[in-house]
Amino acid sequence: MRAAAQEILGLDIQELTGLLKEWGEPRYRAKQLFEAVYKQRVTSLDEITVFPKPLRDQLKEKHLQVSGARVEKKFLSSDGTIRYLIGFADGQSVETVWMPEGDDGEAGDGSEAGEEETAARRRPRATICVSSQVGCAVNCKFCMTALLGLKRNLSAGEIVAQITSVLNDHNVDLKERRINLVFMGQGEPFNNYDNFIKAVRLLVKGVGIAESRMTASTSGIVPKIYDLGKEEIRPKLAISLNASNDEERTKLIPINKKWDIAALVEAAKAFPLRKRENITFEYVLLEGENDSIENAKEVIDIVNSFGERASRVKLNLIAWNAGPEIAFHTPEDSRVHAFQKAIRDAGIPAFIRRPRGRDIYAACGQLKRIVTIEPATV
Ligand code: SAH
Ligand code: SF4
């Protein structure tokens, strides 16, 4: 029987060093392999041209491979967003979303505002939204991914592969294009914490995307918020608040029974922020459920309970993205703006996230591997 291929993508420099040492290869070969796989984003062993051919052949004989991830399908939105269906060796697949010109999620972020007007700032930007699990177990009532249930965790390599595949598809030179990453695709990153954080390290050290350009969103897995705060390399933190009181939040996000709003606030208050870094609360607006001015007032109270830290909290408002089998309603724009105004009038920065790729089921909460849609596929 043919031995199963071992994936190189996902191994860190120590693991690569160990692997090559077993074959008596010098240390610098591991560094070359790391550079080839992550920085150059090679897609086959033959492309690792810094390795002599016999060594490449040896990798093949040992059944090593660079990336088992394949772009299975692409869906193009009228707004330029592309939803990728990316498949893995075991037949599972996830979605990764490419949003040219960003996703507005970073609007008003302190790290942007304080940034010098450098050449880097003027580079054309794009945001990639990446999945951390196949499906999700958290079961939020407004989210289509929840309907998949949890199929399995993604490995660190599978998380990185989504990004390298999408970057390669657009021939992105990271020196010329500013890429933001949001861990807001399928899954709860903090329920797959070790693989998620390993992927972050590989993306920073290997692929070359700055951690300040990455945001991870959690539904509120409180112990992992504390863990993230201790990481040397980590993305910025976004927390899906989505309700203004515990009764409503428990209805929408069942894990609120375990970690309620007070526990979330405590963890967020203790989170060690870097210079110019903010904490984002995401708030999905559901018509008639959580979008009244009363709700806005409760949100203001939650932010004010941060005390001195309140000035470092911002809100991203997301009008609910509809999907089959879910019985919520998207509020009118006027209601969304009234909610935003109430928050802003209290001195709290609040931004409305522009929906991206709704027509191809690529917007927040719509990732459920839907393939039967009318709009253009590319
Ligand atoms: N699991 C993580 C990250 C993925 S979801 C989390 O829940 O935070 C990314 C964002 O999309 C979250 O803020 C989530 O609340 C929001 N979301 C989920 N379903 C949505 C929908 N149908 N419309 C709008 N936003 C939604
Ligand atoms: Fe999972 Fe996030 Fe969807 Fe909730 S909103 S079910 S945590 S992906």
Side-chain angles (χ1 to χ4, degrees):
M1 204 180 84
R2 198 172 172 274
Q6 189 192 343
E7 182 60 59
I8 300 176
L9 200 78
L11 300 182
D12 60 24
I13 190 76
Q14 288 81 8
E15 288 164 328
L16 289 177
T17 307
L19 191 74
L20 289 173
K21 205 170 140 195
E22 275 175 35
W23 311 343
E25 289 297 328
R27 232 189 149 74
Y28 71 89
R29 291 283 184 216
K31 191 149 186 287
Q32 287 178 330
L33 189 54
F34 188 80
E35 294 264 310
V37 169
Y38 297 105
K39 199 138 280 156
Q40 294 164 31
R41 311 191 304 255
V42 299
T43 54
S44 77
L45 296 173
D46 290 320
E47 288 173 59
I48 310 175
T49 47
V50 284
F51 272 19
K53 188 158 185 305
L55 183 53
R56 285 194 315 245
D57 289 343
Q58 200 181 343
L59 295 175
K60 283 183 207 163
E61 277 156 29
K62 307 260 183 192
H63 303 293
L64 285 151
Q65 67 174 25
V66 180
S67 171
R70 313 172 296 282
V71 173
E72 286 183 348
K73 273 196 162 65
K74 292 199 254 180
F75 303 92
L76 174 64
S77 163
S78 56
D79 69 16
T81 298
I82 300 176
R83 178 167 63 100
Y84 288 84
L85 198 62
I86 296 193
F88 303 110
D90 67 347
Q92 281 295 355
S93 55
V94 287
E95 288 148 308
T96 314
V97 182
W98 165 263
M99 290 167 279
E101 305 313 314
D103 73 335
D104 292 0
E106 62 271 38
D109 189 311
S111 66
E112 301 277 306
E115 214 169 59
E116 305 273 314
E117 189 63 27
T118 58
R121 183 120 201 263
R122 291 189 294 273
R123 286 181 295 171
R125 66 160 95 166
T127 295
I128 300 175
C129 175
V130 61
S131 295
S132 52
Q133 298 181 303
V134 186
C136 186
V138 179
N139 204 13
C140 302
K141 301 303 172 211
F142 44 79
C143 173
M144 289 175 67
T145 306
L147 301 174
L148 286 176
L150 176 65
K151 305 284 186 211
R152 68 167 172 84
N153 279 333
L154 292 178
S155 67
E158 289 169 335
I159 297 173
V160 175
Q162 294 173 64
I163 295 136
T164 52
S165 300
V166 171
L167 291 175
N168 284 344
D169 196 48
H170 291 270
N171 275 321
V172 172
D173 177 347
L174 286 166
K175 286 195 284 302
E176 279 166 10
R177 192 144 194 176
R178 207 179 79 176
I179 299 293
N180 293 310
L181 274 192
V182 292
F183 290 84
M184 298 187 188
Q186 281 186 24
E188 167 49 60
F190 290 5
N191 277 347
N192 184 21
Y193 186 84
D194 291 347
N195 291 337
F196 147 73
I197 202 72
K198 184 178 185 191
V200 167
R201 290 187 201 119
L202 293 171
L203 288 162
V204 172
K205 292 189 192 162
V207 178
I209 301 176
E211 56 192 319
S212 59
R213 301 245 164 269
M214 299 181 188
T215 303
S217 171
T218 181
S219 54
I221 312 292
V222 164
K224 298 298 177 196
I225 296 179
Y226 289 98
D227 288 352
L228 188 74
K230 293 184 205 125
E231 298 290 348
E232 203 172 309
I233 294 177
R234 64 157 177 82
K236 291 183 287 188
L237 177 65
I239 298 175
S240 299
L241 182 63
N242 294 349
S244 61
N245 58 63
D246 280 317
E247 195 189 335
E248 178 72 23
R249 195 165 191 274
T250 301
K251 265 203 296 184
L252 297 174
I253 310 178
I255 58 158
N256 192 66
K257 276 204 283 295
K258 194 160 180 187
W259 297 293
D260 63 8
I261 294 177
L264 261 184
V265 167
E266 206 178 308
K269 270 169 84 171
F271 193 75
L273 290 177
R274 296 170 178 162
K275 218 170 136 194
R276 292 204 287 262
E277 186 181 356
N278 289 329
I279 287 198
T280 303
F281 274 135
E282 292 153 294
Y283 196 97
V284 180
L285 288 159
L286 308 162
E287 191 192 58
E289 288 283 334
N290 66 357
D291 66 339
S292 70
I293 296 302
E294 279 312 303
N295 293 124
K297 285 187 182 143
E298 286 182 331
V299 171
I300 293 165
D301 288 343
I302 292 172
V303 175
N304 285 338
S305 74
F306 276 71
E308 270 181 26
R309 261 295 185 87
S311 62
R312 309 288 292 272
V313 179
K314 67 158 181 153
L315 243 87
N316 261 355
L317 305 174
I318 317 171
W320 183 65
N321 297 309
E325 297 175 60
I326 307 188
F328 288 109
H329 296 283
T330 309
E332 300 275 327
D333 282 356
S334 59
R335 252 179 111 87
V336 176
H337 283 107
F339 196 93
Q340 179 191 33
K341 183 172 183 306
I343 305 274
R344 284 194 161 172
D345 285 349
I348 300 164
F351 302 88
I352 299 170
R353 190 179 290 166
R354 176 168 52 121
R356 299 294 306 263
R358 268 185 185 165
D359 55 344
I360 52 155
Y361 293 108
C364 297
Q366 289 190 313
L367 301 182
K368 191 185 162 246
R369 304 192 297 200
I370 289 181
V371 290
T372 49
I373 42 175
E374 289 308 316
T377 54
V378 287

